[in-house]
Amino acid sequence: MLLGVIADDFTGAGDIANTLAKGLPGEGGLAVAQYMGVPDEPANPAVEAGVISLKSRSVPIAEAVAQSLAALAWLKAEGCRQIVFKYCSTFDSTRRGNIGPVGEALAEALGVVGVIACPAFPTVGRTVHQGHLFVHDRPLSESGMQNHPLTPMPDPDLRRWLSYQTKGPVGLVPAAIVRQGPGAVRAALAVAGQRGETLVIADAATDDDLVVLGRAAAEAPLLTGGSGIAIGLPANFIAAGLARGYRTHYAGMDGPEAILAGSCSGATRGQVEAHARHHPVLAISVDSVMAGATGPDDLVAFIRNHVGDKPLAYSSGTPEEVQAAQHRYGREAVAEKLDGLFAETARRLIAGGVTRLVVAGGETSGAVAQALDLGELTIGPEIDPGVPILASARRGVALALKSGNFGRETFFSAALDALKGDLA
């Protein structure tokens, strides 16, 4: 294995697995496998990049660090020459979040400083300028992320935000240096390391900027960032003669289908509304779930009664509705109850013969994936930017795990068609 990725959630893991499998146009990518948690057995020798999906974004810091170091140990045992710590392109974290502590712990374990930290993903509108994160033309703090139910982001200044979480100062490689090329970036990172800056925010507004960062880090033991930071990494291994350039293959999966959505993002709410115009949907009341009146039996019955018509069961309230529910029951209690509901529903659906499953929301996807014992996942074609097809030979199921903010308006229907092999 050449490259190892430690991802702090399941949808983000699929996102960067997709990036690594695609590579740069005309060059191909790496042979990628995704794992739900740290594997307990060696990887297939044909795998060139292993992506370990953790559910560590919102857990206590000590737990996130321990999980990430366990993942690092497995990847190093597989021979990985480079490690990427992958987090969300909207830097989902709080002042006491896990990005800084995990990044520093991995850097310490690998004996490195001056490590790139760049969540930019221009394809979906995430860019970094002078250390500030933008979503399309708005600062992160005005993008809707300030209302995230678990990891609200009220500050677009990544250096300031990350410094709340780190033991040492946070550096910056500004756009003016990035545009000078890989050599200038490497020199700036070396100086940052000499100043004691373990993590260094790097500006990036285009894919070309990300390719420069990737080339600058060709020999770096560690990078951190969103999936965009991996755009140029396969080319480094291909140029070095260590990889030949992989092309994804997917034959399609037929059979019963289901959609589960637990994201409250504006994008997912719009997708639910669009889907409801032509397909059956079941709205899940948080109050009903918390009272025990709605459970997995209800969701499974709804899905089974509408097989063939792309049924969707969802809990996707407005920010105001989510805050009200959290006030009544407690943030962690609501999240735990809904995650458990979707996880058990998915487990029963797959056990009952569902072979195509679409899940929206990072936390929801994590809960579902952990419940299914999927084994090694192969990476199929991209459905929408950041969302690939995932196939589990162990369970005979094809999945699309979507971050809340990703996907076109008609994503749910299009994803089920893609899982069947009909890629539009």
Side-chain angles (χ1 to χ4, degrees):
M1 193 178 289
L2 301 170
L3 176 69
V5 178
I6 302 167
D8 69 355
D9 85 331
F10 289 71
T11 56
D15 182 2
I16 196 168
N18 175 60
T19 300
L20 290 168
K22 285 195 307 180
L24 293 175
E27 294 191 20
L30 300 176
V32 183
Q34 184 175 339
Y35 309 94
M36 300 304 177
V38 181
D40 55 9
E41 58 186 14
N44 183 326
V47 173
E48 296 171 327
V51 180
I52 295 180
S53 316
L54 302 178
K55 197 171 185 288
S56 59
R57 179 171 298 171
S58 303
V59 303
I61 289 173
E63 186 178 341
V65 169
Q67 289 183 29
S68 301
L69 291 177
L72 174 64
W74 186 85
L75 291 168
K76 288 176 66 177
E78 290 296 315
C80 289
R81 299 164 181 249
Q82 187 169 64
I83 302 296
V84 179
F85 169 38
K86 196 279 176 191
Y87 40 81
C88 189
S89 60
T90 47
F91 214 74
D92 295 9
S93 191
T94 65
R95 279 194 179 208
R96 294 180 296 277
N98 295 336
I99 292 176
V102 170
E104 286 188 324
L106 293 173
E108 182 178 356
L110 292 167
V112 294
V113 292
V115 175
I116 289 174
C118 182
F121 191 3
T123 301
V124 292
R126 279 71 158 158
T127 59
V128 181
H129 180 66
Q130 297 299 328
H132 290 65
L133 182 54
F134 290 80
V135 177
H136 298 292
D137 61 345
R138 310 301 299 174
L140 178 66
S141 55
E142 300 174 17
S143 68
M145 279 303 301
Q146 70 272 26
N147 298 317
H148 193 284
L150 294 178
T151 54
M153 288 295 295
D155 189 348
D157 187 332
L158 297 183
R159 279 187 297 173
R160 180 165 55 215
W161 199 252
L162 191 55
S163 69
Y164 296 137
Q165 306 173 8
T166 56
K167 294 179 290 187
V170 178
L172 174 68
V173 178
I177 291 178
V178 175
R179 303 290 163 77
Q180 292 175 33
V185 173
R186 280 193 295 270
L189 292 171
V191 171
Q194 293 168 3
R195 290 195 297 258
E197 297 164 355
T198 298
L199 299 177
V200 184
I201 302 297
D203 282 354
T206 66
D207 284 354
D208 287 342
D209 291 337
L210 292 168
V211 171
V212 168
L213 295 177
R215 288 176 178 161
E219 302 297 326
L222 177 66
L223 298 87
T224 83
S227 62
I229 198 63
I231 286 176
L233 300 185
N236 293 335
F237 293 105
I238 294 170
L242 299 171
R244 292 183 295 178
Y246 178 78
R247 299 293 193 278
T248 58
H249 306 282
Y250 179 70
M253 179 78 71
D254 207 345
E257 80 289 4
I259 308 167
L260 303 175
S263 168
C264 298
S265 74
T268 296
R269 296 200 309 275
Q271 290 158 352
V272 168
E273 183 179 345
H275 197 78
R277 296 186 194 118
H278 306 287
H279 304 282
V281 301
L282 174 66
I284 300 166
S285 163
V286 173
D287 290 329
S288 180
V289 173
M290 298 303 292
T294 296
D297 287 344
D298 302 289
L299 276 64
V300 170
F302 168 77
I303 297 292
R304 287 177 175 168
N305 288 337
H306 294 92
V307 164
D309 201 16
K310 302 179 178 178
L312 161 66
Y314 72 95
S315 174
S316 300
T318 65
E320 294 76 18
E321 291 169 340
V322 172
Q323 290 171 5
Q326 291 176 338
H327 181 74
R328 287 194 296 274
Y329 306 109
R331 174 182 294 184
E332 293 183 359
V334 171
E336 182 178 354
K337 198 76 170 180
L338 288 176
D339 284 353
L341 171 67
F342 284 116
E344 179 60 17
T345 298
R347 191 191 65 77
R348 295 187 191 184
L349 289 171
I350 300 303
V354 165
T355 58
R356 291 179 293 144
L357 180 64
V358 176
V359 186
E363 296 297 321
T364 305
S365 293
V368 166
Q370 286 182 316
L372 293 182
D373 186 27
L374 296 166
E376 183 177 285
L377 295 173
T378 56
I379 312 302
E382 184 177 69
I383 300 170
D384 270 353
V387 190
I389 293 171
L390 304 174
S392 169
R394 176 182 293 181
R395 299 305 301 268
V397 61
L399 307 97
L401 305 179
K402 182 189 87 72
S403 175
N405 289 308
F406 283 11
R408 74 193 95 163
E409 187 179 67
T410 56
F411 174 84
F412 292 133
S413 180
L416 286 176
D417 289 342
L419 296 179
K420 196 172 183 178
D422 182 13
L423 286 159

